[in-house]
């Protein structure tokens, strides 16, 4: 049955998404998110920031023709990274899958919330999604929230000018 799984998986390998995933993580680890944006510099805060930047990239891939395979490979990269991070923290094999599954659910929820927030005409909609998902319900001061909102919108806008090949090479702007 191993040959059947090859037909069901997207063409290419997860390694093709590595430059893009590395760029997402690098962008999410930029100090301004944590300093000017008051994102908590904790394990949860860093996860939330990676998920926010990754959501911007995945939302762009949704709009692109023939980007389904790239989106799948990028998401698989995220799963691989989260699996490794959970194991590094010290979780055993018995609970790793559960934690990674929960993280995937969190990413899916953020995709919907950020998609809706970006589509709204009122910036308060995206702010509410950021407070709920990035700040886990504890709103920072307005200047920090505005900084994060504007920077995520800038990331998303910059992605509109890129094609799939550029993005897969790790270019985000």
């Amino acid at each position: 049955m191993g040959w059947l799984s090859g037909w069901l998986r997207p063409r290419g390998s997860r390694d093709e998404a590595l430059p893009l995933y590395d760029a997402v993580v690098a962008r999410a680890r930029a100090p301004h998110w944590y300093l000017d944006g008051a994102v908590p510099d904790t394990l949860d805060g860093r996860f939330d920031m990676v998920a926010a930047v990754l959501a911007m990239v995945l939302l762009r891939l949704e709009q692109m023709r023939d980007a389904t395979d790239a989106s799948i490979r990028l998401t698989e990269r995220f799963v691989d990274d989260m699996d490794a991070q959970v194991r590094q923290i010290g979780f055993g094999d018995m609970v790793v899958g559960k934690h990674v599954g929960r993280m995937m659910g969190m990413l899916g929820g953020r995709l919907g919330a950020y998609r809706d927030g970006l589509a709204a005409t009122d910036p308060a909609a995206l702010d509410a999604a950021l407070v709920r998902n990035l700040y886990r319900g504890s709103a920072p001061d307005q200047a920090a929230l505005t900084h994060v909102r504007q920077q995520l919108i800038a990331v998303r806008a910059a992605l509109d000018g890129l094609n799939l090949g550029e993005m897969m090479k790790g270019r985000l702007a």
Side-chain angles (χ1 to χ4, degrees), residues 119-142:
T121 56
D122 184 2
L126 184 54
D127 286 355
L130 291 170
V131 168
R132 188 174 53 256
N133 295 293
L134 185 61
Y135 296 101
R136 305 231 175 167
S138 181
D141 66 48
Q142 189 58 48

Side-chain angles (χ1 to χ4, degrees), residues 23-108:
V24 166
V25 171
R27 180 68 58 97
R29 290 188 176 163
H32 72 90
W33 300 115
Y34 307 95
L35 299 173
D36 301 329
V39 173
D41 192 8
T42 62
L43 194 59
D44 286 343
R46 289 188 296 265
F47 166 81
D48 293 333
M49 201 62 243
V50 168
V53 174
L54 181 59
M56 297 301 118
V57 172
L58 290 171
L59 291 172
R60 170 62 178 133
L61 291 174
E62 280 181 358
Q63 296 179 326
M64 300 173 93
R65 206 177 102 198
D66 300 327
T68 302
D69 288 351
S71 183
I72 291 169
R73 288 191 301 272
L74 181 60
T75 303
E76 287 175 339
R77 261 287 154 203
F78 173 75
V79 170
D80 290 346
D81 186 30
M82 293 305 106
D83 182 275
Q85 296 299 324
V86 168
R87 289 178 191 281
Q88 186 175 2
I89 293 169
F91 287 94
D93 288 339
M94 299 297 288
V95 296
V96 168
K98 182 178 181 177
H99 283 283
V100 172
R102 203 171 107 233
M103 290 173 172
M104 285 301 299
M106 292 167 76
L107 176 61

